[in-house]
Amino acid sequence: MANRLASATSPYLQQHADNPVDWWEWGEEAFAEARRRDVPILLSVGYAACHWCHVMAHESFEDDEVARVLNANFVAVKVDREERPDVDAVYMNATTALTGHGGWPMTCALTPDGDPFFAGTYFPREQFLALLANITRVWTEQRPEVLASGAHIASRLREVAAPTAGSAISPDDLDAAVVTLRRQFDDARGGFVGAPKFPPSMVLEFLLRDHARTGSPDALAMASRTCEAMARGGMFDQLAGGFARYAVDADWVVPHFEKMLYDNAQLMRVYAHLWRATGDELARRIASETAEFVIRDLGTEAGGFASALDADTVVDGRSVEGLTYVWTPDELRGVLGDEDGTRAAELLSVTPQGTFEHGTSTLQLRRDPDDAQWWEQVRARLLVTRGERPQPARDDKVVTSWNGLAIAGLADAGVLLDRPDLVQAAVRCAEFVVGTHLVDGRLRRASRDGVVGSAAGVADDHGNLAEGLLALHQATGDVRWLDATTTVLDVALEHFVDADGVVHDTADDAEQLFARPRAITDNAEPSGTSSLAGAWLTAAALTGQTRYREAAERALESVAPLATREPRFGGWALSVAEAAVTGPLQVAVVGEGEGESADAMVAAARASSSPGLVVIHGQPDSPGQPLLEARPLVGGEPAAYVCRGFVCDAPVTTVDDLRRALGRS
């Protein structure tokens, strides 16, 4: 049996390389084999950090009997959803339509033409064997009905994917979205009602931008309360920094322990922006510690950032969730001694009964320690001991989209928190992604060990990378990031946007699936549509290219019906809309120096939380910098040029005058 997954760039696929199942990677070769053998496709989709994917792998895909049945009656295809989000998207739509819910692992039966005729998620071994037998029976005995069903499902999903007309998101729509969110807000615990609770990163960004535009106390209160609750609960790693994927409870106590790059990239930016808006030192600390986690624990040798740390830790061949992170009071006393251990248990909510499983507790920090120096010593000692435990595996593929989010987060946190090391990490990441993932002018989705994969970049790869490069351009003034951005955004305009201005997730020359995916909801990360809308809008402000702003406005119109009706699922679209109705607010600072000078004016400009703000700094007429053209020094001294809504003020030469100019509505 050929081991077709051994050389895959995906760690998830490599986890299955030694299964007795005769796996194929997604591609025409697999479908040709299904046609040749006249058998259906069994499609299994998951990702490396997925707990229940591991469970199904151990129960079924490592089992000889299951493998025998699969190999005899199917062509088995394994897909990493993070490497092929297009494949995941179309079959997840089918799974949701057929079952009413989705998730991973995803299990689908397809015709050799790729039409789905059965879909589900996790199946225990005996149910999975029964399912395989049933699919084999109906494929053999009821072939015409199966083919007709698959074709009908595919046709209906294509119809559902068709875009609906929308209109521009207005200030009134944004105000109404805040009201809707307020009704759904959990006052007691932060976040939004129900459990599990995922970090609402993009909604938090929208609330901060709305507060900046309107002064809404509700918007700021919801953002601040949620950020504090997440930071003080068990979802935040109180020892090493960084956030877990979500909390299984409404109080943010018990996390699902996987730590994803996309969450932490977005949250470091949100907390930095919250600190800018409020001066809250907790927000500043969490932004810094999250950035440090990303660099230390997800950084790769080549400069990019790995995708995730696993939810599970493997011990004696068993996957145990949370083993690395949880503690008992006795364990704390064993490391710290009786006095400090008891004191730490009280501070960190580690109880004899436990807050997790088997009498263990996650670590919470519901209040600031009375003695900061003592706490830092305790934290360091606990972290050393934790480092001696078995550690979760790392999914070390580098995904373009999520690295774009990391570049944006590091660049913003770096300039706002005065952390040049964070900006430098963003530069190193950008150099790797642009140098490796941009091949012959087209983006690829992912790389591993410095080698880029064959999967084509999708819309959110283009939008999120451009967002990051634009933030880095503003942080550094380096024109190469603006040049790279325009390359990426022009490709998106040419290949991802149809004649009606609708953004699709795949390029017009990409592999054609049974439906062309088009996500309009912001879930764990911005959708392709909203990510591109945001990048186009910022690029328009920095370059003066009206075609970018027009593309952004059309993209926002296409997602407006959903984003305004269900704001929890349109956080980034609403954030971009805040920028569209407020901006552009362009600040160009020319000259050098400190004190009452260029650097001080740049800092004052960056302190503004206006949603439509872009800031650029350099010498007059710097090549490739449209905002610096024809903007000289004033009396030989540094000057700031402010334009709001396509109207420009006279230049100012003092920080106070700049603040007054920025404060005018």
Side-chain angles (χ1 to χ4, degrees):
M1 186 177 71
N3 188 342
R4 301 182 189 87
L5 306 186
S7 60
T9 56
S10 160
Y12 174 65
L13 267 58
Q14 289 203 351
Q15 288 174 358
H16 294 268
D18 295 324
N19 291 168
V21 176
D22 187 16
W23 290 113
W24 293 67
E25 288 196 64
W26 178 274
E28 175 53 32
E29 295 86 354
F31 286 93
E33 178 69 4
R35 289 189 291 270
R36 184 187 71 79
R37 291 177 51 200
D38 194 28
V39 295
I41 297 278
L42 191 288
L43 174 65
S44 176
V45 182
Y47 60 103
C50 166
H51 171 73
W52 288 103
C53 299
H54 296 167
V55 174
M56 191 166 179
H58 295 319
E59 289 180 344
S60 295
F61 300 140
E62 295 172 7
D63 182 83
D64 288 335
E65 183 182 358
V66 172
R68 179 184 58 77
V69 173
L70 264 177
N71 296 341
N73 301 302
F74 298 84
V75 169
V77 175
K78 178 62 74 173
V79 168
D80 183 342
R81 66 171 293 262
E82 297 174 345
E83 191 171 53
R84 289 302 303 265
D86 51 340
V87 173
D88 176 66
V90 295
Y91 290 104
M92 186 57 72
N93 287 341
T95 301
T96 303
L98 291 172
T99 69
H101 62 87
W104 300 274
M106 176 167 58
T107 307
C108 299
L110 320 179
T111 72
D113 291 328
D115 292 340
F117 63 90
F118 172 84
T121 52
Y122 162 77
F123 293 95
R125 179 184 179 277
E126 297 306 318
Q127 289 186 23
F128 189 49
L129 280 170
L131 171 67
L132 297 178
N134 190 49
I135 292 173
T136 300
R137 180 184 60 78
V138 298
W139 179 259
T140 303
E141 299 175 5
Q142 303 174 39
R143 181 77 60 85
E145 292 89 338
V146 169
L147 295 176
S149 174
H152 175 71
I153 292 168
S155 175
R156 288 290 298 133
L157 288 170
R158 283 191 290 270
E159 293 174 11
V160 170
T164 56
S167 57
I169 299 175
S170 69
D172 287 345
D173 292 328
L174 297 170
D175 295 342
V178 174
V179 172
T180 299
L181 290 169
R182 184 67 188 83
R183 288 198 299 267
Q184 299 168 345
F185 187 67
D186 186 341
D187 284 297
R189 304 173 183 88
F192 298 93
V193 293
K197 277 186 174 174
F198 290 81
S201 309
M202 291 158 283
V203 172
L204 296 173
E205 182 68 30
F206 160 59
L207 291 171
L208 289 174
R209 292 186 181 195
D210 186 83
H211 171 71
R213 178 178 63 86
T214 68
S216 165
D218 277 347
L220 182 60
M222 285 188 282
S224 298
R225 178 72 184 96
T226 301
C227 284
E228 180 178 9
M230 292 192 302
R232 293 200 179 279
M235 200 178 79
F236 184 72
D237 186 340
Q238 305 297 344
L239 299 184
F243 287 88
R245 174 77 274 263
Y246 61 88
V248 302
D249 60 289
D251 291 295
W252 309 98
V253 173
V254 178
H256 187 52
F257 289 90
E258 60 189 333
K259 296 168 84 171
M260 312 299 295
L261 174 61
Y262 52 72
D263 286 322
N264 287 284
Q266 293 175 91
L267 286 169
M268 76 171 87
R269 200 180 194 193
V270 166
Y271 279 91
H273 290 172
L274 177 61
W275 176 78
R276 177 178 61 188
T278 65
D280 179 14
E281 284 302 315
L282 175 66
R284 181 188 180 98
R285 176 173 69 81
I286 298 301
S288 289
E289 291 181 7
T290 303
E292 289 160 4
F293 157 74
V294 167
I295 295 169
R296 180 188 64 245
D297 292 351
L298 297 181
T300 67
E301 185 176 344
F305 295 105
S307 296
L309 297 184
D310 207 331
D312 299 343
T313 303
V314 177
V315 181
D316 299 328
R318 296 182 303 111
S319 293
V320 183
E321 187 174 10
L323 176 67
T324 304
Y325 301 103
V326 295
W327 297 81
T328 66
D330 286 345
E331 287 173 332
L332 292 177
R333 285 190 287 267
V335 175
L336 302 172
D338 287 346
E339 181 178 348
D340 284 345
T342 300
R343 183 179 175 187
E346 189 276 329
L347 176 68
L348 296 167
S349 302
V350 177
T351 67
Q353 299 77 24
T355 58
F356 181 50
E357 297 174 349
H358 312 299
T360 63
S361 294
T362 61
L363 301 187
Q364 305 172 62
L365 196 64
R366 295 296 180 177
R367 58 178 173 80
D368 290 333
D370 297 330
D371 184 338
Q373 184 177 6
W374 171 86
W375 164 239
E376 284 306 311
Q377 292 172 350
V378 164
R379 182 183 179 199
R381 291 165 67 188
L382 293 177
L383 194 56
V384 168
T385 298
R386 196 179 84 177
E388 296 168 353
R389 296 174 173 179
Q391 299 296 305
R394 188 172 85 158
D395 179 346
D396 55 1
K397 70 176 178 295
V398 175
V399 175
T400 301
S401 177
W402 307 344
N403 276 256
L405 295 171
I407 293 166
L410 290 167
D412 273 15
V415 297
L416 291 176
L417 307 181
D418 194 20
R419 290 282 304 270
D421 58 317
L422 304 187
V423 177
Q424 187 53 45
V427 169
R428 188 164 180 255
C429 179
E431 288 174 341
F432 171 73
V433 173
V434 172
T436 303
H437 290 209
L438 192 61
V439 180
D440 298 327
R442 300 296 292 272
L443 276 179
R444 303 278 182 88
R445 172 68 175 175
S447 66
R448 190 174 186 223
D449 296 331
V451 178
V452 73
S454 60
V458 295
D460 61 78
D461 290 308
H462 292 73
N464 287 332
L465 178 60
E467 176 77 17
L469 296 178
L470 290 167
L472 188 57
H473 169 61
Q474 294 178 75
T476 64
D478 192 333
V479 73
R480 60 179 165 155
W481 307 128
L482 185 61
D483 291 342
T485 299
T486 57
T487 297
V488 168
L489 292 182
D490 287 346
V491 167
L493 278 174
E494 181 178 357
H495 291 288
F496 289 83
V497 182
D498 65 21
D500 297 320
V502 172
V503 176
H504 296 270
D505 288 346
T506 54
D508 55 6
D509 56 358
E511 176 187 357
Q512 299 300 301
L513 304 172
F514 75 81
R516 191 178 182 188
R518 176 182 169 267
I520 58 172
T521 58
D522 298 317
N523 290 313
E525 60 176 310
S527 71
T529 299
S530 61
S531 67
L532 279 168
W536 279 324
L537 194 70
T538 302
L542 287 168
T543 66
Q545 295 289 327
T546 56
R547 61 198 175 94
Y548 289 149
R549 185 168 182 101
E550 290 167 357
E553 290 171 348
R554 290 197 303 269
L556 285 175
E557 288 173 3
S558 73
V559 298
L562 183 138
T564 53
R565 184 177 69 252
E566 299 287 350
R568 286 176 61 189
F569 304 101
W572 193 248
L574 295 171
S575 298
V576 176
E578 287 281 358
V581 302
T582 307
L585 174 57
Q586 301 157 310
V587 181
V589 180
V590 294
E592 296 178 347
E594 299 178 354
E596 195 77 8
S597 65
D599 290 348
M601 285 190 283
V602 170
R606 288 173 175 162
S608 169
S609 53
S610 171
L613 175 72
V614 296
V615 180
I616 199 69
H617 172 214
Q619 292 302 312
D621 286 320
S622 296
Q625 303 261 35
L627 289 188
L628 299 179
E629 292 177 0
R631 284 175 166 167
L633 301 175
V634 174
E637 296 295 324
Y641 293 79
V642 178
C643 299
R644 178 183 284 101
F646 312 105
V647 177
C648 297
D649 296 342
V652 297
T653 57
T654 70
V655 170
D656 287 343
D657 285 344
L658 175 57
R659 287 177 178 145
R660 280 190 285 272
L662 292 170
R664 288 196 293 271
S665 60

